[in-house]
Amino acid sequence: MATKNMKDYKFWMIGNAHLDPVWLWQWQEGFQEAKATARSALDRMKEYDDFVFTNSSAAMYEWIERNDPGMFEEIKQRVAEGRWHIVGGWWIQPDCNIPSGESFVRQGLYGQRYFMEKLGVTAKVGYNVDSFGHFGMMPQILKKQGMDYYIMMRPMPNEKGLPNRLFYWESDDGSQVLTYRLPFEYCSWGKDLEKHIRRCMTELKDPFNELAVFYGVGNHGGGPTKENIDSLKRMNADPEFPTIVLANPTEYFEEMERRGLPIPVVHDDLQHHASGCYAAHSGIKQWNRQAENKLMAAETWSAIAKATTGQPYPADYHRAWKNVLFNQFHDILAGTSIEPAYEDARNAHGEAMSIAERGLNYAIQSLSWNIDIEQEEGMKPLVVFNPHSWGGPMNIEHEVGGMKETSVLYDDAGKQIPFQLVQSQATAGGRFRISFIADLPPMGYRVFKVYPQPRSATEPKLVAPTIKASDTSLENDRIRVDFDPKTGHMTSLFDKKVNSELLRKPGRPVVMEDKSDTWSHNVFHFQNEIGDFQARSVRRVEHGPIKSVVRVTSEYGNSKLVQDFAMYKDLDYIDVKVTVDWREEFKMLKLVYPINLHFTKQTYEIPYGFKEREHNGEEEPGQNWVDFSGILPNGGTAYGVTLMNDAKYSYSIMNKELAITVLRSPIYAHHDPLVPDPNGHYTFIDQGIQTFNYRIYAHEGSWETAGVVQKAWELNRKPTTIIETYHQGKLPQRNSFLSVDDDNVIVSVLKKHEDSDDLIVRAYETTKCATKTAIRLPHLDRVIEASFGPCEIKTFRVPSDASKPVVEVDLIEW
């Protein structure tokens, strides 16, 4: 080492107690352990005047506050003294890949506000020491939640090379947080710490001659023991060891900044660890996606209804969001907890979605009840609400009664539009399901009307053309798709406009070998193909002027897969409804589409951003979509194919084969190195029936110009339709409450401000292109003019008092 005096080196000892509230136990056990851990830390403070405790996760503080108010007051006193240090600022330590960008915002919104309200402080240090990788847009979110620093541990050095343990982590908008990757572990044993200290000493390198070292019993809580602290004091008195101080992470970071060290900058995702987590347990992934989207749609319409009709804004959205945020804990959302934990998660998500659906219904019914709809004999109004900040054509399906052969559909302007009847959700007489394409205004609604016959005796019923469709092919004006009747595989995806075949080989479901544990520790590729599904039936099951559907039913082993491929006459993508009945063990199912492009790049949506990654076959986390773009072989035209879905988060691209990982079936909570007994009885994940939807979107040009982000949002957050009746009202039959001048800026959130009746508008730039735009709110007579940096998230507070100006606020709404 550069100096012979070991005391010139310094260890900042961070006493902590990592507690998984759910993992190999259910939340009730985590609840008890949170109290026991807090009690232990408070007792150590009485015994050692210099002991400092560091802890995160507002959810567990709320448990203590409500179950032992006396102990909570002790914590509050120690926080005020500076000896109990709050880090994290989030509701829980979540998985840091799978939640949506808005969920990460809400983690801080509810976490930092809780800490300020209850303890009088906010966290300055972001803190996810056990999460399985970290998405690249996190620095911006942390900075806008008041956190300038970040502590993580995974991926570890064998999984991700970094230039230093201490580095500035930068996101695409330019935000930076000073980040520290923990050496070795976030916890320690309860005995003498000399072994832990000696291995950390191997990490000392000038000029980075000070390290933050974490100690304290963890995972199931516990925290620093008396023997821990006594051993640190012994070593501090020994010249063989560095200077040892009991400290908190903020002190360490501030000292490192003060010293002006040559700290490198890392501009990247921090991946990969436990790659199997992106696909483990389909249920929790789907519930998370559904709950997020239901809550954001409910907030949007509740905010609009409050401003428009005076409908009260629900007070229980906080409870719903906290349920969702808790279930984003890294061992819950990653699918790595014991089986009963997912019954708890299902129930909590059910409560959240019930709250959202109830609030949404009150809002849209308040709005639709105030629409001026004329009285006409036999007319049935359908009001369609578009939750997005852009308009356009979208497929609408809704159950109705009383349809006849002569029934017709009109828009609000009195124009007859095509529709078709598809299979009703009820197998009973008198119920029908109508499908039509609605051209909707941005963040608004439009009234459509079903009549028993044309409105005029001289007006014929509209007869609209259909696409070409047979049992094995679908073809509209742009795309032709062919299926092999024996295998059920998609043999052709042909773009007629550019005269190009988009598939190199058939698109197909593929079964991969997967004998890894629940996390897939040290496994990064799943490419050992051991079989594929074979068709039992390929046939056309729907055909009409809106869409035609080919159903491919196939089998593998004891499992069954049904894919309904829907092609629309007037929409430029293919929607696929998937039903899987899975009965396999130690296997993985992928849907693979080999793409016929050259000079490719692969782009994955990440929370509030995107990331280009190599096509090396690694399992990668992604949000709503993944895009494979390049150049067509027959002329050099820029082109791309995007896969979107409403429930999955795991993708891979190998040898130009674009794949969604549908599911994997390890044993619940199986952790290496334990080897399962070949004769043992175990419960395997993802057995039984599940359904989800994906979309194939072939597009000219880049994903940035093809509207990929919008189409993926439309798949995930569909318009809401309600059957109304005639009544007088103050609202027109077509209305828009918000729009944005530029397509690359999307308004993701419209909600009530946390502390007032003001409105919160959150928007983000989606294509890494600096943009000056205007967000228009005509119902409030407001225009928000704003300049967005590349990939920048902005939050605006719109006062309910029209005389006050709109102001930009941080992600805590301060």
Side-chain angles (χ1 to χ4, degrees), residues 103-324:
S103 282
F104 288 104
V105 171
R106 301 308 173 99
Q107 288 282 354
L109 179 71
Y110 295 117
Q112 291 283 52
R113 280 179 165 270
Y114 179 87
F115 288 135
M116 177 56 74
E117 177 188 353
K118 303 295 184 178
L119 300 173
V121 299
T122 56
K124 306 302 180 187
V125 179
Y127 187 88
N128 286 292
V129 297
D130 196 26
S131 299
F132 310 144
H134 310 259
F135 71 100
M137 287 301 292
M138 193 184 292
Q140 178 179 188
I141 292 174
L142 291 167
K143 290 286 283 191
K144 291 185 175 181
Q145 292 173 339
M147 289 177 274
D148 295 324
Y149 312 116
Y150 191 58
I151 295 176
M152 45 75 70
M153 188 179 75
R154 313 183 196 280
M156 300 182 81
N158 63 304
E159 298 165 321
K160 172 74 173 180
L162 292 172
N164 197 38
R165 288 208 175 273
L166 187 68
F167 59 94
Y168 283 107
W169 186 23
E170 182 179 73
S171 53
D172 281 349
D173 70 305
S175 297
Q176 292 184 348
V177 289
L178 185 57
T179 300
Y180 183 68
R181 176 160 69 181
L182 295 179
F184 301 107
E185 293 186 79
Y186 49 73
C187 59
S188 63
W189 44 87
K191 305 296 182 182
D192 190 293
L193 293 177
E194 182 172 334
K195 181 180 176 182
H196 186 43
I197 293 295
R198 285 191 180 278
R199 64 180 180 176
C200 289
M201 288 167 61
T202 66
E203 294 285 317
L204 289 167
K205 296 179 178 68
D206 288 322
F208 295 92
N209 54 13
E210 301 185 19
L211 292 177
V213 179
F214 278 48
Y215 74 101
V217 179
N219 285 337
H220 197 268
T225 65
K226 288 194 277 188
E227 190 168 353
N228 284 166
I229 300 168
D230 289 340
S231 67
L232 292 175
K233 292 182 178 297
R234 173 184 61 78
M235 284 182 281
N236 195 37
D238 187 334
E240 185 180 350
F241 297 98
T243 299
I244 291 174
V245 296
L246 306 185
N248 67 62
T250 303
E251 293 172 319
Y252 168 75
F253 280 118
E254 289 175 346
E255 174 63 15
M256 295 301 99
E257 283 190 314
R258 185 192 65 78
R259 290 179 56 191
L261 295 165
I263 300 172
V265 175
V266 173
H267 189 120
D268 199 1
D269 276 349
L270 303 180
Q271 311 291 8
H272 298 88
H273 178 82
S275 297
C277 293
Y278 315 142
H281 203 292
S282 296
I284 190 66
K285 268 73 168 177
Q286 186 172 56
W287 305 331
N288 177 74
R289 182 84 63 88
Q290 290 172 340
E292 288 174 334
N293 282 297
K294 286 179 187 292
L295 277 167
M296 285 189 276
E299 288 175 333
T300 294
W301 293 115
S302 293
I304 291 171
K306 184 179 186 303
T308 306
T309 68
Q311 174 68 34
Y313 193 91
D316 51 1
Y317 286 159
H318 290 174
R319 177 70 270 152
W321 269 112
K322 288 176 180 179
N323 284 11
V324 174

Side-chain angles (χ1 to χ4, degrees), residues 365-433:
Q365 293 231 25
S366 176
L367 290 164
S368 67
W369 194 249
N370 280 275
I371 298 173
D372 190 44
I373 301 176
E374 68 278 11
Q375 180 177 356
E376 291 189 65
E377 186 68 28
M379 184 265 286
K380 190 187 302 290
L382 304 178
V383 187
V384 182
F385 291 84
N386 173 24
H388 304 295
S389 57
W390 62 91
M394 303 176 202
N395 178 233
I396 305 300
E397 291 191 3
H398 196 76
E399 296 283 318
V400 296
M403 297 293 292
K404 301 178 180 180
E405 288 287 333
T406 56
S407 293
V408 289
L409 179 66
Y410 289 86
D411 64 17
D412 60 298
K415 178 183 176 183
Q416 196 178 151
I417 61 173
F419 72 94
Q420 78 183 70
L421 297 181
V422 297
Q423 183 172 346
S424 172
Q425 294 172 336
T427 307
R431 291 296 290 179
F432 303 87
R433 188 167 184 82

Side-chain angles (χ1 to χ4, degrees), residues 692-703:
F692 71 99
N693 300 279
Y694 71 97
R695 178 170 288 174
I696 305 170
Y697 177 42
H699 58 82
E700 289 185 89
S702 68
W703 67 264

